[in-house]
Amino acid sequence: MPNPWTGIGNPYTREEVRERLTKTLDAGKAIIAAGAGTGISAKFIEKGGADLIIVYNSGRFRMMGHGSTAGMMAYGDANAIAMEIGEYEVLPVVEEIPVICGVHATDPRRRMWHWLGKVKDMGFSGVNNFPTHCIVDGHFRRVLEETGMSSKKEVEMVALARRMDLFSIVYVDSPEEAAAMARAGADSIIAHVGTTVGGSIGVTGAVMSWDNTLKRTQAIIEAARAERDDIFFLCHGGPINTPDDAARVLEATDCVGFVGASSLERMGVEESLTNLTRDFKKIAVPAAARFNG
């Protein structure tokens, strides 16, 4: 049955989102998905031509001036924050492109089928797995896996979203995670290569090299492609910060697009506000108007 809402904004069916992304690729353009933590970010990201907007709980912290990793911490209800940003800020101002909701799939307080129903009813066209265990490692990751809050929950959420006709665009950190998400039915897989560099609060030391970035990205793609051949592969994080960086990855791998959160929303605000303020500060006051009190 045709989607009665098509042409007047969200929501879109899973297949409609896929058709839109395919159309972008057929036009010879890269797929660009952007994180938005505020309504004004979403409004102007859409005007810039992005293909998807993703609402993460980390967007709220990012736009408060904190690192995106704050979204991984117990600083609030990740699912409720993403829903609130979407309901009151992003969805009311986005006119046409699909909006994706970040879902904290391992939250033990949520009945995931019930929560995804709310996500869909709100007008989101799909889901993303954030906060995600894929960027947690070491002893803490092992504890999470052993105590019922495992990455398997994220895979199960994606499989459920597929059954509910929600588009899914998911982060993975390894070939093994990519294969599992492909089997679960993920529509788009993002090769996450670490926290984004640059800007006022980007990482500086814990950055993957370019050689490893390209190798890991391609390994993730090949692992997922061994399971299915209809997945949109995107890149994100680490040294991939600028349009030139993203183009470099697309030229060296089988990626067809880029996901920017800090690299689009935060960097854009930092640079434009800093430079604009500096320009205003260059205004000279005529001598006759100076205060002599």
Side-chain angles (χ1 to χ4, degrees):
M1 186 173 78
N3 179 5
W5 304 109
T6 300
I8 57 172
N10 287 288
Y12 291 96
T13 67
R14 171 182 168 267
E15 192 55 41
E16 285 169 344
V17 178
R18 292 186 59 89
E19 288 173 358
R20 291 171 64 90
L21 299 185
T22 299
K23 186 176 179 180
T24 293
L25 296 179
D26 288 345
K29 299 178 181 179
I31 294 168
I32 303 299
T38 66
I40 195 166
S41 297
K43 186 174 185 177
F44 288 96
I45 285 169
E46 180 175 32
K47 286 184 180 295
D51 296 284
L52 300 171
I53 287 176
I54 307 177
V55 177
Y56 310 94
N57 76 312
S58 60
R60 171 154 294 170
F61 297 104
R62 200 162 39 241
M63 301 312 288
M64 289 167 61
H66 308 301
S68 298
T69 307
M72 297 290 294
M73 304 300 290
Y75 300 149
D77 183 333
N79 283 310
I81 290 171
M83 180 68 81
E84 183 180 86
I85 295 170
E87 179 177 6
Y88 297 115
E89 297 197 51
V90 174
L91 288 168
V93 300
V94 170
E95 296 180 355
E96 199 267 337
I97 65 175
V99 179
I100 308 300
C101 185
V103 174
H104 191 189
T106 63
D107 185 342
R109 303 165 302 170
R110 290 289 195 280
R111 295 167 293 162
M112 196 45 57
W113 62 269
H114 182 252
W115 184 249
L116 292 189
K118 290 187 174 183
V119 167
K120 189 171 184 177
D121 288 345
M122 185 54 62
F124 289 99
S125 299
V127 296
N128 168 261
N129 60 326
F130 194 90
T132 174
H133 284 2
C134 84
I135 54 176
V136 179
D137 57 15
H139 175 73
F140 185 47
R141 173 68 179 268
R142 291 193 296 274
V143 171
L144 289 171
E145 297 292 335
E146 292 174 6
T147 54
M149 292 168 281
S150 70
S151 57
K152 181 181 177 183
K153 298 282 189 181
E154 296 180 30
V155 176
E156 292 172 348
M157 183 273 288
V158 169
L160 184 57
R162 176 69 179 258
R163 290 170 56 193
M164 297 176 70
D165 196 34
L166 283 162
F167 180 85
S168 57
I169 174 170
V170 299
Y171 287 118
V172 302
D173 178 65
S174 69
E176 294 76 18
E177 291 170 354
M181 284 297 193
R183 289 191 294 270
D187 293 292
S188 179
I189 288 179
I190 310 161
H192 195 306
V193 294
T195 304
T196 304
V197 303
S200 64
I201 48 178
V203 297
T204 55
V207 183
M208 187 177 294
S209 70
W210 266 109
D211 185 55
N212 286 336
T213 291
L214 299 177
K215 287 180 178 178
R216 179 177 290 190
T217 297
Q218 187 60 29
I220 284 171
I221 291 171
E222 291 174 1
R225 188 174 282 161
E227 301 291 335
R228 289 191 10 247
D229 63 0
D230 63 342
I231 298 170
F232 300 97
F233 294 106
L234 311 179
C235 59
H236 172 82
I240 314 167
N241 185 24
T242 67
D244 286 344
D245 294 335
R248 179 177 179 179
V249 179
L250 268 61
E251 290 169 2
T253 71
D254 292 332
C255 267
V256 297
F258 169 72
V259 177
S262 294
S263 51
L264 266 165
E265 184 176 38
R266 175 170 63 81
M267 301 297 186
V269 170
E270 288 182 359
E271 293 176 11
S272 63
L273 286 181
T274 300
N275 293 333
L276 183 60
T277 304
R278 285 173 178 162
D279 288 341
F280 273 108
K281 284 298 293 179
K282 292 175 184 177
I283 299 172
V285 177
R290 292 175 189 169
F291 179 66
N292 297 314

